[in-house]
Amino acid sequence: METDTRSRILAAAEDLFVQHGLDATTLRMITTAAHANLAAVNYHFGSKEALIETVFRRRLTWLNDQRIAALDALEAEAKGAPLKPRQIVESYFGVAIRLAASSPGGRTFMRLLGRTYTEPSEFVRSFLAEEYAEVIARYKAAFFKALPDVPQEEFLWRFHFMMGALSYAVSGVDALRLLGPVDESDPEALYTRLMSFLIGGLRAPLPEIQSQAVRKPRAKRATPDRASD
Amino acid sequence: METDTRSRILAAAEDLFVQHGLDATTLRMITTAAHANLAAVNYHFGSKEALIETVFRRRLTWLNDQRIAALDALEAEAKGAPLKPRQIVESYFGVAIRLAASSPGGRTFMRLLGRTYTEPSEFVRSFLAEEYAEVIARYKAAFFKALPDVPQEEFLWRFHFMMGALSYAVSGVDALRLLGPVDESDPEALYTRLMSFLIGGLRAPLPEIQSQAVRKPRAKRATPDRASD
DNA sequence: GTCAGTTTCAAACAAATGTTTTAATGGTGA
DNA sequence: TCACCATTAAAACATTTGTTTGAAACTGAC
């Protein structure tokens, strides 16, 4: 082996986590794959949870730093003017796709991350929230400024939907395989496809949300947008 | 307790699975919550895996039967003509949202299902694929007929993205909470919001996918669609 | 060569898991 | 009342889990 034990463990863990999930991956699987002794994980990281946190934080801080840097650059160029929604979407989701495309390890990690957004484990959620706090705040502000006509609640949902689409885009494989054979090998094409979809969804006509108290229970659903369908 | 042991176990399992995940939920947690003996799971279901499968199949077959029935109704009415994309989207994703809205148990299950699409466990994937095979085939055919101008590969990705958005829409909570306080209490509003987004994404301008072999490595990304942004 | 500090190793640890076993319980019809 | 059945109950089962231990091996500085 070329690298040191610590690095080999990190790589093996990342790989096995995405294959089998966090819980189902045992320390014995990791240390075997890393050609290390079982005790090495506890020696180098302290515990399995600490290893998981290290695996995530290592790449996630880098990812979100990239996002913030991209936003900084856009806002510097705009000199106070609102950004175009497309620019913001591209910088937020583009960074993720590019990480997935950059290296086998990056792709593995993005698949892992996509799966872990919905991870119920408490300690994972807590450091995930911590890692995302700043970047979410920055992008929310940028979007609100760029889309002053879109109600904030509506936008938050759309952002949420977009994150779901991204998650499936990078982690997809399994669910996608249900649909039939598709080509997942070209990240540039995936990027282009996802952007089209996201922008289309983000800029879709605003639905008329009736207040829950007023609406009649079994009323036929109104379809106010895009009458041409 | 009102109901019999088997039903109490099913309800408790569904509830705990969505809270803690499949692996992290132990039989002891389930049987305690269900006020049953530990051995009851193996007596009534045979194994933990069989219990999981029962929990999913019970609601999933119903869900997909509803989808197929909805499609049957639409196609009967259309008398051979292609359906409108919006109709198909509404029948597929609307059924899911409606199940989530119909009862606390339905909502719990949809959250569980959203989380489990990305479940790496082999046996879960296998029976999920089995449950989805027919409904996916039917809807693929309907979509291809409704959108003859959209390349099939492009559509499959968009369908995949839509499933990601749905997954986050129903299972979301945690990831959504990162974004800030939103109202998740009104399923009708969620339905309307999601539909707008999905239709917007589905009908977005087609991206120009350059063949991977031809494209230059670091070429600036072309943004052929929606020049107005 | 020696020695302190770091890393690796094999072995064992307690705790928790799904499952099985064996007996007890409760109801139903003969 | 008895025998039969399905269900429940308590206890023990073998495995597997993450973690700890204590000694061996290695490393670099003096």
Side-chain angles (χ1 to χ4, degrees):
Chain A
M1 279 300 132
E2 317 288 335
T3 54
D4 57 284
T5 305
R6 200 187 127 96
S7 304
R8 291 202 314 274
I9 289 177
L10 278 175
E14 201 170 61
D15 210 57
L16 289 167
F17 284 154
V18 70
Q19 274 184 59
H20 307 99
L22 263 36
D23 278 3
T25 302
T26 72
L27 294 187
R28 283 164 180 84
M29 292 163 66
I30 295 173
T31 50
T32 300
H35 298 288
N37 187 271
L38 168 62
V41 166
N42 288 277
Y43 176 78
H44 285 283
F45 300 93
S47 68
K48 185 185 179 182
E49 287 204 350
L51 168 64
I52 293 175
E53 190 168 335
T54 306
V55 165
F56 276 87
R57 283 210 133 103
R58 180 172 64 131
R59 290 202 135 98
L60 204 49
T61 49
W62 180 88
L63 179 72
N64 283 336
D65 284 351
Q66 292 280 107
R67 281 171 167 156
I68 288 175
L71 195 56
D72 283 340
L74 286 176
E75 289 180 338
E77 197 179 358
K79 300 188 208 300
L83 302 175
K84 294 174 187 170
R86 159 176 294 277
Q87 292 179 301
I88 313 179
V89 171
E90 283 184 346
S91 77
Y92 187 89
F93 295 97
V95 168
I97 299 280
R98 225 158 303 147
L99 171 57
S102 66
S103 67
R107 180 173 154 76
T108 300
F109 175 71
M110 281 308 301
R111 292 183 56 196
L112 175 59
L113 186 58
R115 286 194 162 152
T116 315
Y117 277 120
T118 53
E119 172 73 30
S121 161
E122 186 51 43
F123 93 99
V124 173
R125 274 201 309 240
S126 72
F127 75 72
L128 234 44
E130 193 186 316
E131 283 286 330
Y132 273 97
E134 187 189 353
V135 71
I136 292 286
R138 287 289 308 276
Y139 273 81
K140 266 173 69 175
F143 270 120
F144 287 159
K145 195 168 160 192
L147 298 165
D149 53 321
V150 178
Q152 300 206 351
E153 172 116 14
E154 180 68 36
F155 163 74
L156 289 180
W157 277 108
R158 292 196 173 183
F159 198 18
H160 189 53
F161 299 154
M162 290 195 287
M163 286 169 66
L166 169 68
S167 170
Y168 269 45
V170 294
S171 83
V173 277
D174 304 327
L176 184 62
R177 223 147 262 166
L178 283 178
L179 295 177
V182 294
D183 176 27
E184 320 167 42
S185 65
D186 185 355
E188 198 73 20
L190 172 59
Y191 174 88
T192 312
R193 292 190 210 279
L194 180 64
M195 283 309 144
S196 271
F197 180 86
L198 293 182
I199 302 286
L202 179 62
R203 314 235 40 188
L206 293 179
E208 280 175 15
I209 302 291
Q210 308 181 17
S211 132
Q212 195 169 16
V214 180
R215 181 170 16 82
K216 277 171 268 171
R218 288 298 309 155
K220 198 108 191 268
R221 222 174 317 284
T223 54
D225 49 323
R226 206 190 287 256
S228 66
D229 276 353
Chain B
M1 279 301 130
E2 317 290 335
T3 54
D4 60 359
T5 304
R6 200 187 128 94
S7 305
R8 292 203 313 276
I9 289 177
L10 277 175
E14 200 170 62
D15 211 56
L16 289 167
F17 284 154
V18 72
Q19 274 183 59
H20 306 99
L22 263 36
D23 278 2
T25 302
T26 71
L27 293 186
R28 284 164 179 83
M29 293 163 67
I30 294 172
T31 50
T32 301
H35 299 288
N37 187 271
L38 169 61
V41 167
N42 288 278
Y43 176 77
H44 285 283
F45 300 93
S47 68
K48 185 185 179 182
E49 288 204 350
L51 167 64
I52 293 175
E53 190 168 335
T54 307
V55 166
F56 276 86
R57 284 210 132 103
R58 180 173 62 133
R59 290 202 135 98
L60 204 49
T61 48
W62 180 89
L63 179 72
N64 283 336
D65 284 351
Q66 291 280 108
R67 281 172 168 155
I68 288 175
L71 196 55
D72 283 340
L74 285 175
E75 289 180 339
E77 198 178 357
K79 297 188 209 303
L83 301 175
K84 296 173 186 169
R86 157 174 295 277
Q87 292 180 301
I88 313 178
V89 172
E90 282 184 347
S91 77
Y92 188 89
F93 295 96
V95 168
I97 299 279
R98 225 160 302 146
L99 171 58
S102 66
S103 68
R107 182 174 152 75
T108 299
F109 174 73
M110 281 308 300
R111 291 183 56 197
L112 175 60
L113 185 59
R115 285 192 163 155
T116 314
Y117 278 120
T118 54
E119 172 74 30
S121 161
E122 186 51 43
F123 92 99
V124 173
R125 274 203 307 241
S126 72
F127 74 72
L128 274 188
E130 192 185 318
E131 283 287 330
Y132 272 98
E134 186 189 354
V135 72
I136 291 286
R138 288 289 307 274
Y139 273 81
K140 267 174 67 176
F143 270 119
F144 288 159
K145 194 170 162 190
L147 298 165
D149 52 323
V150 178
Q152 300 206 350
E153 171 116 15
E154 180 68 38
F155 163 74
L156 289 180
W157 276 108
R158 293 197 172 180
F159 197 18
H160 189 53
F161 299 153
M162 290 195 286
M163 287 170 67
L166 169 69
S167 170
Y168 269 44
V170 296
S171 84
V173 278
D174 305 326
L176 186 62
R177 221 148 262 163
L178 283 177
L179 295 177
V182 295
D183 176 25
E184 320 168 40
S185 66
D186 185 354
E188 198 72 21
L190 173 59
Y191 173 88
T192 313
R193 291 191 211 278
L194 180 63
M195 283 309 145
S196 269
F197 180 86
L198 294 182
I199 302 286
L202 179 62
R203 314 237 40 187
L206 294 180
E208 279 175 16
I209 303 292
Q210 308 180 16
S211 132
Q212 196 169 13
V214 180
R215 180 169 17 77
K216 276 172 270 171
R218 290 295 309 156
K220 198 111 191 261
R221 222 174 317 285
T223 55
D225 49 323
R226 205 189 288 258
S228 66
D229 274 352

